[in-house]
Amino acid sequence: MTTTATNALSVRDPWSLVPPLGNLDAYISSINRLPLLTQEEETRLATQLREHDDLKAASALVMSHLRLVVSVSRNYLGYGLPHGDLIQEGNIGLMKAVKRFDPTQGVRLVSYAMHWIKAEIHEYILKNWRMVKVATTKSQRKLFFNLRSMKSRLKEEAADTDVHRNTLTRDQVERVARDLNVKPEEVLEMETRMSGGDVAMESQNDDGEEAYAPIAYLADDRDEPTRVIENAAHDRLAGVGIGEALETLDPRSRRIVEERYLKVNDDSSGGMTLHELAAEYGVSAERIRQIEVAALKKMRKTLEPQRV
């Protein structure tokens, strides 16, 4: 290790070389000035860490690769998440890589750490890009992080055509599915998830727009206590209650009500008409109507106390 590098990475507190968080540009400028390690220096420090749990060696390995995290994190700025947060998550991945790094495998830490840095950034994006997770399986994660770039490339290839679409064509969907070894249906589903945004269940305004918020038409109130009581009362009135109300009527009034409202023939034509009943009882149709009205009024009075 050069004298400058040795002195820089052997101070009592190596992290003092990095300025306090808050100014991202100053942070990036400072870590870009940190010295890089040669392969021999890297192997020696990694060996010290594995054999003696040397935290200073670990700090030196981490600090010399902080610029790698910044470089990798820039590739994920298109997801709309803070650059500082992406760097922070990438640093966690770098520290995990340093902890697990085996210098005897003949691989440089920069190659080994790349996987861990990306893994932590990927996990952060999947958790924070949407309130609802958009990818849970391994194939969905791969599709999520490749679909955006592949979609842009396909649009560029189709720029000379007269077709201007925000969505993929069927041929493009099949091509993406083939390249990523997934089903076309999974490509379509992921494209739908990525194109949609989060929607608040309740209205965010105080201007009386609650009726148009999803909570107004997505809520299931079938098990709501008041609705359960109302349904139970309705079922009783439609069953036992009607029977009890009919028992209060004289035979003629009961038959008129049953023929007019409760009887259904095989051809779904209903019971007898006013004129048919009038002919049977030898009175006018108007008289049958009056008896019907009086009977229904009496039944309503009987049923009223049973209502909840």
Side-chain angles (χ1 to χ4, degrees), residues 235-249 254 258 262 299 302-303 306:
D235 292 342
R236 187 182 186 285
L237 289 175
V240 178
I242 293 295
E244 292 176 351
L246 288 172
E247 291 293 336
T248 65
L249 303 178
R254 175 170 180 167
E258 289 177 340
L262 302 178
M299 290 180 65
T302 304
L303 294 171
Q306 301 180 27

mmCIF file of all heavy atoms in Angstrom, residues 235-249 254 258 262 299 302-303 306:
data_model
loop_
_atom_site.group_PDB
_atom_site.id
_atom_site.type_symbol
_atom_site.label_atom_id
_atom_site.label_comp_id
_atom_site.label_asym_id
_atom_site.label_seq_id
_atom_site.Cartn_x
_atom_site.Cartn_y
_atom_site.Cartn_z
ATOM 1 N N ASP A 235 -85.899 -10.934 6.736
ATOM 2 C CA ASP A 235 -86.192 -12.339 6.477
ATOM 3 C C ASP A 235 -87.375 -12.819 7.315
ATOM 4 O O ASP A 235 -88.217 -13.600 6.849
ATOM 5 C CB ASP A 235 -84.959 -13.197 6.773
ATOM 6 C CG ASP A 235 -83.829 -12.937 5.785
ATOM 7 O OD1 ASP A 235 -84.103 -12.372 4.712
ATOM 8 O OD2 ASP A 235 -82.669 -13.278 6.112
ATOM 9 N N ARG A 236 -87.451 -12.343 8.563
ATOM 10 C CA ARG A 236 -88.562 -12.758 9.422
ATOM 11 C C ARG A 236 -89.883 -12.183 8.919
ATOM 12 O O ARG A 236 -90.911 -12.865 8.896
ATOM 13 C CB ARG A 236 -88.313 -12.307 10.861
ATOM 14 C CG ARG A 236 -89.342 -12.866 11.830
ATOM 15 C CD ARG A 236 -89.129 -12.397 13.251
ATOM 16 N NE ARG A 236 -90.054 -13.091 14.132
ATOM 17 C CZ ARG A 236 -91.370 -12.832 14.234
ATOM 18 N NH1 ARG A 236 -91.905 -11.872 13.477
ATOM 19 N NH2 ARG A 236 -92.132 -13.513 15.063
ATOM 20 N N LEU A 237 -89.831 -10.910 8.512
ATOM 21 C CA LEU A 237 -91.053 -10.288 8.005
ATOM 22 C C LEU A 237 -91.532 -10.976 6.728
ATOM 23 O O LEU A 237 -92.731 -11.128 6.497
ATOM 24 C CB LEU A 237 -90.822 -8.800 7.733
ATOM 25 C CG LEU A 237 -90.658 -7.900 8.972
ATOM 26 C CD1 LEU A 237 -90.310 -6.481 8.542
ATOM 27 C CD2 LEU A 237 -91.933 -7.905 9.811
ATOM 28 N N ALA A 238 -90.584 -11.382 5.895
ATOM 29 C CA ALA A 238 -90.944 -12.032 4.637
ATOM 30 C C ALA A 238 -91.416 -13.453 4.836
ATOM 31 O O ALA A 238 -92.055 -14.029 3.955
ATOM 32 C CB ALA A 238 -89.743 -12.023 3.690
ATOM 33 N N GLY A 239 -91.137 -14.043 6.003
ATOM 34 C CA GLY A 239 -91.544 -15.411 6.274
ATOM 35 C C GLY A 239 -92.628 -15.501 7.325
ATOM 36 O O GLY A 239 -93.831 -15.413 7.044
ATOM 37 N N VAL A 240 -92.178 -15.633 8.568
ATOM 38 C CA VAL A 240 -93.110 -15.789 9.684
ATOM 39 C C VAL A 240 -94.015 -14.571 9.826
ATOM 40 O O VAL A 240 -95.221 -14.694 10.093
ATOM 41 C CB VAL A 240 -92.319 -16.026 10.994
ATOM 42 C CG1 VAL A 240 -93.277 -16.132 12.184
ATOM 43 C CG2 VAL A 240 -91.475 -17.288 10.873
ATOM 44 N N GLY A 241 -93.477 -13.369 9.625
ATOM 45 C CA GLY A 241 -94.271 -12.157 9.816
ATOM 46 C C GLY A 241 -95.458 -12.085 8.865
ATOM 47 O O GLY A 241 -96.574 -11.729 9.272
ATOM 48 N N ILE A 242 -95.263 -12.433 7.595
ATOM 49 C CA ILE A 242 -96.360 -12.399 6.626
ATOM 50 C C ILE A 242 -97.440 -13.409 7.008
ATOM 51 O O ILE A 242 -98.651 -13.129 6.915
ATOM 52 C CB ILE A 242 -95.827 -12.706 5.206
ATOM 53 C CG1 ILE A 242 -94.908 -11.572 4.732
ATOM 54 C CG2 ILE A 242 -96.983 -12.900 4.230
ATOM 55 C CD1 ILE A 242 -95.605 -10.251 4.543
ATOM 56 N N GLY A 243 -96.999 -14.580 7.456
ATOM 57 C CA GLY A 243 -97.961 -15.598 7.863
ATOM 58 C C GLY A 243 -98.822 -15.139 9.028
ATOM 59 O O GLY A 243 -100.053 -15.358 9.049
ATOM 60 N N GLU A 244 -98.177 -14.488 10.017
ATOM 61 C CA GLU A 244 -98.914 -13.998 11.176
ATOM 62 C C GLU A 244 -99.882 -12.880 10.778
ATOM 63 O O GLU A 244 -101.004 -12.792 11.304
ATOM 64 C CB GLU A 244 -97.941 -13.501 12.238
ATOM 65 C CG GLU A 244 -97.106 -14.621 12.868
ATOM 66 C CD GLU A 244 -96.084 -14.087 13.854
ATOM 67 O OE1 GLU A 244 -95.916 -12.837 13.903
ATOM 68 O OE2 GLU A 244 -95.452 -14.887 14.555
ATOM 69 N N ALA A 245 -99.458 -12.012 9.845
ATOM 70 C CA ALA A 245 -100.332 -10.926 9.398
ATOM 71 C C ALA A 245 -101.530 -11.468 8.635
ATOM 72 O O ALA A 245 -102.661 -10.949 8.766
ATOM 73 C CB ALA A 245 -99.543 -9.947 8.534
ATOM 74 N N LEU A 246 -101.346 -12.510 7.839
ATOM 75 C CA LEU A 246 -102.456 -13.110 7.094
ATOM 76 C C LEU A 246 -103.489 -13.726 8.039
ATOM 77 O O LEU A 246 -104.699 -13.765 7.727
ATOM 78 C CB LEU A 246 -101.934 -14.160 6.123
ATOM 79 C CG LEU A 246 -101.184 -13.637 4.882
ATOM 80 C CD1 LEU A 246 -100.548 -14.797 4.115
ATOM 81 C CD2 LEU A 246 -102.123 -12.848 3.968
ATOM 82 N N GLU A 247 -103.018 -14.229 9.205
ATOM 83 C CA GLU A 247 -103.924 -14.849 10.154
ATOM 84 C C GLU A 247 -104.914 -13.851 10.741
ATOM 85 O O GLU A 247 -105.975 -14.236 11.251
ATOM 86 C CB GLU A 247 -103.115 -15.497 11.292
ATOM 87 C CG GLU A 247 -102.306 -16.720 10.885
ATOM 88 C CD GLU A 247 -103.194 -17.896 10.507
ATOM 89 O OE1 GLU A 247 -104.353 -17.939 10.967
ATOM 90 O OE2 GLU A 247 -102.730 -18.755 9.730
ATOM 91 N N THR A 248 -104.604 -12.550 10.673
ATOM 92 C CA THR A 248 -105.495 -11.527 11.231
ATOM 93 C C THR A 248 -106.626 -11.160 10.284
ATOM 94 O O THR A 248 -107.538 -10.422 10.664
ATOM 95 C CB THR A 248 -104.683 -10.258 11.578
ATOM 96 O OG1 THR A 248 -104.152 -9.695 10.373
ATOM 97 C CG2 THR A 248 -103.538 -10.592 12.534
ATOM 98 N N LEU A 249 -106.590 -11.641 9.043
ATOM 99 C CA LEU A 249 -107.589 -11.278 8.034
ATOM 100 C C LEU A 249 -108.734 -12.287 8.013
ATOM 101 O O LEU A 249 -108.556 -13.467 8.344
ATOM 102 C CB LEU A 249 -106.935 -11.209 6.646
ATOM 103 C CG LEU A 249 -105.745 -10.242 6.478
ATOM 104 C CD1 LEU A 249 -105.194 -10.355 5.059
ATOM 105 C CD2 LEU A 249 -106.142 -8.810 6.794
ATOM 106 N N ARG A 254 -108.121 -12.484 3.065
ATOM 107 C CA ARG A 254 -106.874 -13.243 2.951
ATOM 108 C C ARG A 254 -106.725 -13.831 1.560
ATOM 109 O O ARG A 254 -105.642 -13.800 0.981
ATOM 110 C CB ARG A 254 -106.848 -14.353 4.005
ATOM 111 C CG ARG A 254 -105.634 -15.267 3.888
ATOM 112 C CD ARG A 254 -105.510 -16.180 5.072
ATOM 113 N NE ARG A 254 -104.336 -17.040 4.935
ATOM 114 C CZ ARG A 254 -103.817 -17.770 5.915
ATOM 115 N NH1 ARG A 254 -104.359 -17.731 7.123
ATOM 116 N NH2 ARG A 254 -102.763 -18.524 5.693
ATOM 117 N N GLU A 258 -103.720 -13.133 -1.097
ATOM 118 C CA GLU A 258 -102.902 -14.242 -1.582
ATOM 119 C C GLU A 258 -102.952 -14.356 -3.103
ATOM 120 O O GLU A 258 -101.925 -14.597 -3.751
ATOM 121 C CB GLU A 258 -103.375 -15.546 -0.936
ATOM 122 C CG GLU A 258 -103.032 -15.645 0.544
ATOM 123 C CD GLU A 258 -103.577 -16.916 1.173
ATOM 124 O OE1 GLU A 258 -104.519 -17.510 0.600
ATOM 125 O OE2 GLU A 258 -103.054 -17.327 2.236
ATOM 126 N N LEU A 262 -99.335 -13.125 -3.517
ATOM 127 C CA LEU A 262 -98.519 -14.241 -3.044
ATOM 128 C C LEU A 262 -98.600 -15.487 -3.899
ATOM 129 O O LEU A 262 -97.849 -16.426 -3.683
ATOM 130 C CB LEU A 262 -98.938 -14.611 -1.604
ATOM 131 C CG LEU A 262 -98.837 -13.470 -0.582
ATOM 132 C CD1 LEU A 262 -99.318 -13.953 0.784
ATOM 133 C CD2 LEU A 262 -97.419 -12.949 -0.494
ATOM 134 N N MET A 299 -102.581 -5.510 7.595
ATOM 135 C CA MET A 299 -101.355 -6.315 7.685
ATOM 136 C C MET A 299 -100.156 -5.451 8.068
ATOM 137 O O MET A 299 -99.301 -5.863 8.853
ATOM 138 C CB MET A 299 -101.094 -7.009 6.351
ATOM 139 C CG MET A 299 -102.078 -8.118 6.020
ATOM 140 S SD MET A 299 -101.724 -8.915 4.421
ATOM 141 C CE MET A 299 -100.137 -9.651 4.759
ATOM 142 N N THR A 302 -100.087 -4.860 11.690
ATOM 143 C CA THR A 302 -99.645 -6.059 12.399
ATOM 144 C C THR A 302 -98.137 -6.224 12.331
ATOM 145 O O THR A 302 -97.489 -6.631 13.302
ATOM 146 C CB THR A 302 -100.337 -7.308 11.830
ATOM 147 O OG1 THR A 302 -101.751 -7.142 11.892
ATOM 148 C CG2 THR A 302 -99.933 -8.559 12.585
ATOM 149 N N LEU A 303 -97.554 -5.925 11.156
ATOM 150 C CA LEU A 303 -96.115 -6.111 10.959
ATOM 151 C C LEU A 303 -95.279 -4.995 11.581
ATOM 152 O O LEU A 303 -94.104 -5.214 11.893
ATOM 153 C CB LEU A 303 -95.810 -6.204 9.463
ATOM 154 C CG LEU A 303 -96.365 -7.419 8.714
ATOM 155 C CD1 LEU A 303 -96.166 -7.265 7.221
ATOM 156 C CD2 LEU A 303 -95.692 -8.689 9.209
ATOM 157 N N GLN A 306 -93.086 -5.508 14.640
ATOM 158 C CA GLN A 306 -92.020 -6.482 14.469
ATOM 159 C C GLN A 306 -90.773 -5.901 13.819
ATOM 160 O O GLN A 306 -89.729 -6.547 13.790
ATOM 161 C CB GLN A 306 -92.532 -7.658 13.611
ATOM 162 C CG GLN A 306 -93.729 -8.365 14.200
ATOM 163 C CD GLN A 306 -94.190 -9.518 13.327
ATOM 164 O OE1 GLN A 306 -93.399 -10.098 12.591
ATOM 165 N NE2 GLN A 306 -95.472 -9.858 13.412
#
